[in-house]
Amino acid sequence: MNDPASNFRPPLIYTSSSLSDKDYSQPRPVISIVPTLFTTPKFIRFRVCRSYRNYYDLIHIYIREDKTLIQLKEEISRKLKSLMAYTDFSLTKSQDNDYSWARIDDSDGHKTIADLRLCSDTILNVETPKETNNNIQNNVSNIRGAILTLKLCKQPMNEVDCEYIDIRSSITIGQLKEEARKRVINQKTKHLYLWTSNGWMKYKSDLDHLTVAELGFRAYSMISFEKDDDPIPGLCGLTNLGNTCFMNSALQCLSNIPEFTRKIQSLGNEINAPIIGAYAALIRLMWSGEHTITAPSSLLLNISESLPRFRQYRQQDAQEFMNQILHLIHQELTNERTLITDQFYGRMQSSVKCLGGCNSIETREEVISFLPLPVDNEINQYEILYLESNGDQSLVSVCSRARTIGTLIHSFIEQYRPQLSSTRIRPVRIAENEIKDEYSDYTRLNETTRHELAFIELPEKTFDKSYVKVVFLNRQTYEPFRAPIYTIRPTYDYYESDLSDQMNCIQNHIQSKTGAPSSACHLYSINHMDQAKYLNVNATQENNQLLFMKHINFELDSKWIEKYTSKYKIDRSSSKPSLTSLLADFFHEEPLNGDYYCSQCCDLKPAKEKADLVLPLPRVLIIQLKRFTYDPYSNTKIDIYIDFPLRDLDLSHYIIEKHGQKMNSSIYYDLVAVSNHTGSLISGHY
């Protein structure tokens, strides 16, 4: 092949002078042309159809031009959250001239994107082999480990707006509905539809127990909920009767305790119990699947006959109401052991140990129907992640009686950064190393997630500059390995070198903590179209394209990330009050206030007390978080965020073994309901 440089000809430029004016006797200068070589592969953006050849439902994928076709297909499969291997599908590309589709030759999957001459912004579509019979489908199911990929209409019967959902063919139609409801706009429906050659086929609720495999679902079948809202059994609202939100909240909690609701529904109408009868009638109506809202007026009327204070329809305490209605149901059942005692009642043992010399222990047991856990008023202490503009980060403890973000910022500045202006602090919520929320100065602290609060220090800037976010990513996984910070940029006449001092400072910080070479750090500017371009902060030419930069990616090779994160093992668990910590405090052994009269010593002695749960535990454990404090001067509510598990709350640490009882395994509880109060003691809502 000829050298391309030898065939290069400079363009002819004609000026106003005539060719005849030139003196051709003079020797012409030799023009030396050296082509510029770019060694950094550029990124290519592809637009990939999420549903079959749909130009209006696309995702964007960025990949370097030196990557192979196999790597491109694997990236597409990952982005579409598909379980297909790259060998299971081929790609077609849209032709710009006539909107037809052309297959991309994948006979050699090791060809690079540059070799295939695939241009940026090409629209790609995933093509799968069409199954011709059930045997093919069964083979596919076996190969993929009984995993089916279905297309779910996000809006009812809308074939254009779909997303892929991966399920096991062994799940039931009922389980498929529950999984699908999490992803769609219309969640108040009970019937599922499957697209077939004859149109939409309806799967009624009586088929919910059958599996997807039994009903012959195929890979990439389209499913949808129906257009009309059908009531879901149990998903039934309760109308407030005056200010009875406390009652409705408690009733919704009780309604969603499966075994209790089943047993209430099984009680016959012949029982002479007005409260049980009214409650059972309400539960049957809520779970009939025929209503989306009802009024519990009959139940309230019967309760107010026994408890006159509820006749006024005024606001009450939800936990107290729940305790009262369970007690009334227990009384109407007349037996010593009833449905209520079996489901909700447990026992607690209190042990008092004399510290006066005899070391005797006195114990007593009491029956409990709920567990009251005090919430300490630690609102004056905040653990805040502070992110400095040079890249450094630390956890600082701020003591403040603040009620808003702005006041807390002033307390932080007074205690740690007296020379810093409050305008240079950006308050945010950071989770998984990403900014999830940004707060204003007027945001109330009880509306924030306490253990995820962070302050980002902004560099000092002038009026002609603006802030740009720097995101720190693992170069191999593109997951953030630390929280972002901000740097500044000009608002016009942009040179990449304007970022050099700031970005070099940040890079020096990363290198100083990891020992990584500069070649392990990579900078890219990301514009508002999510297009990535290599950023050379030492370049001196003007680049006004950077005016449209959305943020900067600082990518670090993964081998250095573990070294960096090991330098910043920031533990915020102390600033994250949890249900587990409240339980530990409640069952912790502690000294008694004042002297204790010991029956062995026959005198007042110092002592300590400890509480324990006694087996068997109640099947349903009601926990009350005591958030209100009462003293002669004020009544306040403690709005501290309490973290709690949705599954597997282990209570085995707080159980005492007695009377030969042995615990063979841990005892776990799953959460079924939360009654939440917003507002203050004077006014609020459940």
Side-chain angles (χ1 to χ4, degrees):
M1 295 180 62
N2 294 329
D3 183 359
S6 65
N7 296 326
F8 183 85
R9 295 292 183 269
L12 295 177
I13 302 177
Y14 291 92
T15 67
S16 58
S17 301
S18 169
L19 290 175
S20 59
D21 294 335
K22 299 297 181 182
D23 185 2
Y24 291 95
S25 62
Q26 299 297 324
R28 290 182 291 175
V30 177
I31 301 177
S32 176
I33 297 174
V34 180
T36 304
L37 299 178
F38 295 93
T39 58
T40 303
K42 68 178 182 179
F43 275 81
I44 300 291
R45 181 179 79 165
F46 293 110
R47 294 177 290 172
V48 182
C49 300
R50 285 200 289 192
S51 54
Y52 186 74
R53 295 186 179 180
N54 183 354
Y55 290 96
Y56 304 101
D57 187 16
L58 305 169
I59 62 170
H60 292 172
I61 289 180
Y62 296 91
I63 191 167
R64 293 204 314 266
E65 63 179 355
D66 60 341
K67 296 294 185 181
T68 65
L69 179 60
I70 291 176
Q71 291 171 315
L72 172 61
K73 292 172 72 174
E74 288 177 337
E75 179 66 11
I76 289 174
S77 182
R78 187 179 72 84
K79 286 288 187 179
L80 291 177
K81 298 180 180 178
S82 168
L83 295 179
M84 291 188 295
Y86 71 88
T87 54
D88 293 344
F89 65 93
S90 58
L91 295 176
T92 54
K93 62 179 180 178
S94 174
Q95 305 284 72
D96 292 334
N97 54 352
D98 59 358
Y99 294 100
S100 62
W101 293 86
R103 187 175 183 275
I104 297 175
D105 181 16
D106 56 2
S107 57
D108 182 3
H110 297 285
K111 282 188 176 181
T112 66
I113 294 170
D115 293 337
L116 295 168
R117 297 185 179 181
L118 295 176
C119 303
S120 187
D121 281 334
T122 297
I123 298 178
L124 302 178
N125 185 67
V126 173
E127 308 280 343
T128 57
K130 295 182 179 179
E131 294 81 13
T132 57
N133 53 54
N134 288 336
N135 290 332
I136 295 178
Q137 172 57 35
N138 291 335
N139 290 336
V140 172
S141 297
N142 292 332
I143 292 171
R144 306 309 301 157
I147 295 293
L148 286 180
T149 300
L150 304 178
K151 290 201 295 185
L152 170 66
C153 297
K154 297 171 70 175
Q155 300 188 49
M157 313 300 187
N158 186 345
E159 297 90 342
V160 175
D161 189 12
C162 294
E163 71 171 80
Y164 289 96
I165 176 173
D166 297 317
I167 61 163
R168 291 193 174 275
S169 59
S170 58
I171 73 169
T172 65
I173 294 297
Q175 292 170 326
L176 173 59
K177 289 179 182 178
E178 291 303 314
E179 181 62 29
R181 281 194 189 101
K182 301 174 185 177
R183 304 167 181 252
V184 297
I185 297 172
N186 180 2
Q187 298 186 11
K188 298 180 180 180
T189 183
K190 59 185 178 183
H191 298 313
L192 190 71
Y193 285 76
L194 173 69
W195 179 255
T196 68
S197 58
N198 297 320
W200 288 103
M201 177 186 294
K202 184 176 183 179
Y203 286 84
K204 295 184 178 180
S205 299
D206 57 359
L207 299 177
D208 281 358
H209 66 286
L210 297 177
T211 67
V212 170
E214 289 173 327
L215 292 172
F217 277 61
R218 295 188 175 193
Y220 303 103
S221 296
M222 185 180 298
I223 59 174
S224 175
F225 286 117
E226 58 193 328
K227 296 180 181 178
D228 298 327
D229 287 353
D230 276 350
I232 298 175
L235 193 61
C236 179
L238 297 176
T239 303
N240 278 349
L241 308 172
N243 293 320
T244 59
C245 60
F246 69 94
M247 177 181 72
N248 294 348
S249 180
L251 292 176
Q252 292 284 14
C253 290
L254 293 175
S255 170
N256 283 279
I257 300 172
E259 188 173 352
F260 180 59
T261 290
R262 282 196 298 269
K263 291 190 175 182
I264 285 291
Q265 289 176 308
S266 67
L267 294 176
N269 295 325
E270 67 278 1
I271 186 171
N272 184 20
I275 292 176
I276 293 177
Y279 180 69
L282 176 66
I283 289 297
R284 291 189 190 103
L285 188 148
M286 293 175 66
W287 286 88
S288 67
E290 299 176 357
H291 303 273
T292 58
I293 189 169
T294 188
S297 50
S298 176
L299 177 62
L300 180 59
L301 180 63
N302 282 279
I303 291 175
S304 60
E305 291 295 324
S306 300
L307 301 172
R309 72 173 184 272
F310 291 114
R311 295 175 183 171
Q312 305 301 318
Y313 304 108
R314 293 176 179 171
Q315 184 64 275
Q316 304 282 346
D317 183 77
Q319 190 277 331
E320 185 179 357
F321 173 83
M322 185 181 295
N323 204 39
Q324 291 284 359
I325 189 174
L326 293 177
H327 180 66
L328 291 173
I329 293 174
H330 170 67
Q331 284 184 320
E332 287 190 343
L333 291 171
T334 68
N335 300 321
E336 183 178 350
R337 289 197 59 83
T338 68
L339 168 63
I340 303 302
T341 58
D342 290 343
Q343 292 285 314
F344 298 96
Y345 281 23
R347 290 179 298 154
M348 184 184 296
Q349 175 180 287
S350 176
S351 305
V352 179
K353 183 177 182 179
C354 175
L355 301 178
C358 73
N359 291 327
S360 63
I361 298 177
E362 292 187 8
T363 63
R364 61 182 176 88
E365 281 190 9
E366 61 176 325
V367 176
I368 60 169
S369 58
F370 67 97
L371 197 59
L373 300 182
V375 179
D376 291 333
N377 191 358
E378 299 174 349
I379 201 166
N380 297 336
Q381 201 72 25
Y382 292 86
E383 300 292 327
I384 298 172
L385 178 63
Y386 181 52
L387 303 164
E388 300 183 46
S389 57
N390 64 0
D392 205 1
Q393 50 184 324
S394 58
L395 194 64
V396 297
S397 180
V398 179
C399 183
S400 175
R401 297 182 63 85
R403 293 295 179 267
T404 65
I405 285 288
T407 309
L408 183 62
I409 290 175
H410 284 292
S411 299
F412 165 77
I413 290 174
E414 289 177 359
Q415 297 172 36
Y416 292 96
R417 294 291 188 274
Q419 308 302 320
L420 198 63
S421 167
S422 62
T423 58
R424 290 181 55 195
I425 296 293
R426 179 163 293 182
V428 297
R429 178 174 76 90
I430 288 182
E432 299 175 344
N433 291 321
E434 294 180 345
I435 296 176
K436 302 295 185 180
D437 291 304
E438 294 191 10
Y439 301 126
S440 71
D441 287 350
Y442 305 103
T443 302
R444 293 182 59 83
L445 287 169
N446 60 13
E447 298 172 356
T448 66
T449 306
R450 188 185 183 105
H451 64 277
E452 295 176 348
L453 186 60
F455 288 169
I456 302 180
E457 177 191 322
L458 301 174
E460 192 169 6
K461 72 177 184 68
T462 56
F463 72 93
D464 60 341
K465 289 181 170 38
S466 58
Y467 292 117
V468 60
K469 183 168 63 174
V470 181
V471 179
F472 299 87
L473 301 176
N474 183 319
R475 184 165 174 79
Q476 277 62 50
T477 66
Y478 288 95
E479 297 293 331
F481 65 87
R482 59 149 290 164
I485 58 176
Y486 287 88
T487 185
I488 55 175
R489 67 176 185 191
T491 54
Y492 55 88
D493 295 337
Y494 205 146
Y495 293 83
E496 292 179 270
S497 57
D498 291 324
L499 294 168
S500 60
D501 290 342
Q502 303 168 82
M503 296 309 301
N504 286 335
C505 178
I506 294 171
Q507 181 167 321
N508 289 338
H509 161 75
I510 298 292
Q511 291 181 254
S512 68
K513 301 299 180 182
T514 62
S518 57
S519 59
C521 304
H522 313 270
L523 296 179
Y524 295 92
S525 65
I526 311 297
N527 65 17
H528 290 277
M529 298 292 291
D530 287 332
Q531 295 172 321
K533 184 178 180 182
Y534 179 72
L535 184 63
N536 180 10
V537 296
N538 296 315
T540 56
Q541 68 271 23
E542 185 176 356
N543 186 355
N544 283 327
Q545 289 186 356
L546 295 177
L547 295 174
F548 305 100
M549 179 167 58
K550 185 172 66 172
H551 64 265
I552 296 172
N553 281 1
F554 188 110
E555 299 178 9
L556 182 64
D557 291 343
S558 58
K559 65 179 292 187
W560 305 103
I561 289 176
E562 185 176 350
K563 292 185 178 181
Y564 183 82
T565 53
S566 65
K567 299 285 185 180
Y568 290 101
K569 290 186 177 179
I570 297 176
D571 182 13
R572 306 189 72 176
S573 59
S574 60
S575 62
K576 183 181 180 180
S578 65
L579 185 58
T580 303
S581 63
L582 295 183
L583 287 166
D585 290 342
F586 183 82
F587 290 105
H588 178 70
E589 188 175 44
E590 57 183 9
L592 285 174
N593 291 329
D595 289 326
Y596 156 73
Y597 183 80
C598 177
S599 59
Q600 296 290 329
C601 300
C602 298
D603 199 1
L604 294 175
K605 298 292 182 179
K608 57 184 179 180
E609 184 179 28
K610 188 178 187 309
D612 295 284
L613 293 172
V614 179
L615 292 175
L617 297 187
R619 301 179 72 85
V620 180
L621 179 65
I622 300 174
I623 296 178
Q624 178 197 21
L625 300 184
K626 302 177 69 174
R627 290 184 174 273
F628 290 103
T629 60
Y630 304 93
D631 57 54
Y633 306 102
S634 65
N635 298 325
T636 59
K637 181 184 175 185
I638 301 170
D639 286 315
I640 291 177
Y641 175 91
I642 303 296
D643 185 68
F644 53 88
L646 302 182
R647 297 265 185 269
D648 298 335
L649 174 66
D650 188 1
L651 294 183
S652 59
H653 307 292
Y654 317 115
I655 297 173
I656 188 169
E657 297 181 5
K658 55 184 303 185
H659 307 308
Q661 294 172 326
K662 292 294 181 181
M663 249 188 340
N664 297 323
S665 61
S666 300
I667 297 179
Y668 296 107
Y669 282 86
D670 291 342
L671 185 72
V672 294
V674 174
S675 176
N676 189 44
H677 179 271
T678 59
S680 64
L681 185 64
I682 299 174
S683 65
H685 184 62
Y686 281 99

